[in-house]
Amino acid sequence: IFAIYPLYEMARLSFTETEIYDGEFFSAFNGLDNFNKIPDDPLALNAIRVTLLFSFFCVLFTIILGIAGAIMVQNSKKFKNLARNIFVWPAVIAPVVVSVMWLLILDPTVGLVNKILESIGREPQIWLDSKTGAFISVVVVDVWHWTPVVFLFIYAGLNGINQEIIEAARVDGASEGQVIRRIILPILLPTIAVIALLRTIMSIKAFDEMYLLTKGGPDGATSLISLHIRKIFVEILDFGYASALSLCIVATLALIVAFSYFARKRKRAQI
């Protein structure tokens, strides 16, 4: 009921024009008018574009870094436990704490990043005030925060691989790169597919860090669709249009999950 009722209300509002008078809600059915606004809304189209780019880079880099980190920790002899704990701890930090921490790191005056640049003779940057710098910054923060989740999945998958297969390949003269490309990655492919799906969903609905770091600025460079919906709902008070956008996002995520499910089911049937 905690999922079905809010979804029902969102779907109902998306087909109405809802306004507030004297503290009360008044709704009138307006058909598909709210959905027809989307193609003509440049801010919504920009938010969709930014969200797609943000999701692509976040999913790509978290998977690459998570796989690399898991393989390095798995092959480590002396520092396996220490490295495993270091990799995991960012994921347990609350998003608000992550945002405050990175605001301090990226601060143009006392931030660690600019201090490093100054130490090598480079000019300090105002990272969150430029379009490119702000977008790169929010991607870095998201990747730093959620790579440990990918690491845990991949590390668990590595521990489930029969080590005799890997040792036999090494005895036959396979290099470490060949072992990774031809044995480890193919075995982990189903796990990687699940991680990619989860990270795609997480990045599309990302909100906390981006809102606290940039609030969608500058000039919409980091305006994810979640931030755009929040602005329409809270500031503009266009509840019907905000619900229509939200319903489109929910439908998109449902289609992604359904496509992934049936693709995996079909692949298993062919084996």
Side-chain angles (χ1 to χ4, degrees):
I1 188 170
F2 292 105
I4 295 176
Y5 181 72
L7 186 62
Y8 161 76
E9 278 296 309
M10 180 179 66
R12 184 184 67 81
L13 285 173
S14 65
F15 294 99
T16 65
E17 182 178 356
T18 303
E19 298 179 344
I20 299 178
Y21 291 106
D22 295 329
E24 296 185 8
F25 286 89
F26 294 90
S27 299
F29 180 77
N30 65 354
L32 298 175
D33 288 354
N34 290 322
F35 295 93
N36 292 333
K37 289 181 183 178
I38 298 175
D40 298 325
D41 183 359
L43 296 179
L45 296 179
N46 175 70
I48 293 170
R49 180 185 64 83
V50 172
T51 302
L52 291 175
L53 288 173
F54 175 80
S55 298
F56 173 78
F57 287 116
C58 288
V59 173
L60 177 65
F61 288 124
T62 50
I63 289 178
I64 291 174
L65 294 175
I67 292 174
I71 292 174
M72 286 191 295
V73 171
Q74 179 72 5
N75 293 335
S76 175
K77 302 298 182 183
K78 296 181 179 180
F79 305 106
K80 180 177 289 189
N81 292 332
L82 177 62
R84 185 171 56 210
N85 293 332
I86 291 175
F87 262 105
V88 168
W89 77 266
V92 302
I93 303 176
V96 174
V97 178
V98 170
S99 302
V100 173
M101 183 178 68
W102 277 94
L103 278 172
L104 293 174
I105 292 174
L106 297 172
D107 186 270
T109 305
V110 298
L112 177 62
V113 176
N114 278 341
K115 291 297 182 184
I116 294 174
L117 289 177
E118 289 177 355
S119 68
I120 60 175
R122 301 295 298 274
E123 289 292 327
Q125 304 292 322
I126 305 178
W127 296 99
L128 299 179
D129 282 356
S130 67
K131 290 184 177 181
T132 303
F135 183 79
I136 293 174
S137 297
V138 296
V139 170
V140 168
V141 171
D142 188 85
V143 170
W144 179 87
H145 194 190
W146 297 116
T147 293
V149 174
V150 179
F151 165 82
L152 287 174
F153 274 91
I154 299 298
Y155 187 74
L158 287 173
N159 286 325
I161 297 177
N162 188 345
Q163 294 301 309
E164 293 181 358
I165 300 175
I166 296 176
E167 293 301 327
R170 287 171 176 160
V171 169
D172 289 340
S175 65
E176 194 64 30
Q178 290 174 326
V179 170
I180 293 173
R181 290 196 312 272
R182 299 182 181 181
I183 298 177
I184 293 178
L185 290 181
I187 293 175
L188 292 178
L189 194 57
T191 303
I192 295 173
V194 171
I195 294 169
L197 175 63
L198 291 176
R199 284 295 296 129
T200 299
I201 294 173
M202 292 169 66
S203 59
I204 289 176
K205 69 183 189 68
F207 177 82
D208 306 72
E209 290 103 333
M210 285 72 241
Y211 179 72
L212 293 170
L213 285 170
T214 65
K215 291 184 172 60
D219 296 329
T222 60
S223 178
L224 302 180
I225 191 65
S226 57
L227 297 178
H228 185 60
I229 291 172
R230 180 257 171 203
K231 182 176 181 180
I232 294 173
F233 198 92
V234 176
E235 298 179 15
I236 302 177
L237 300 180
D238 192 344
F239 305 111
Y241 184 41
S243 297
L245 280 170
S246 300
L247 188 62
C248 290
I249 298 303
V250 172
T252 300
L253 294 177
L255 287 173
I256 293 173
V257 173
F259 176 79
S260 176
Y261 172 78
F262 286 112
R264 292 188 65 190
K265 187 175 181 180
R266 182 178 180 182
K267 186 174 181 179
R268 287 177 179 176
Q270 291 175 347
I271 297 177

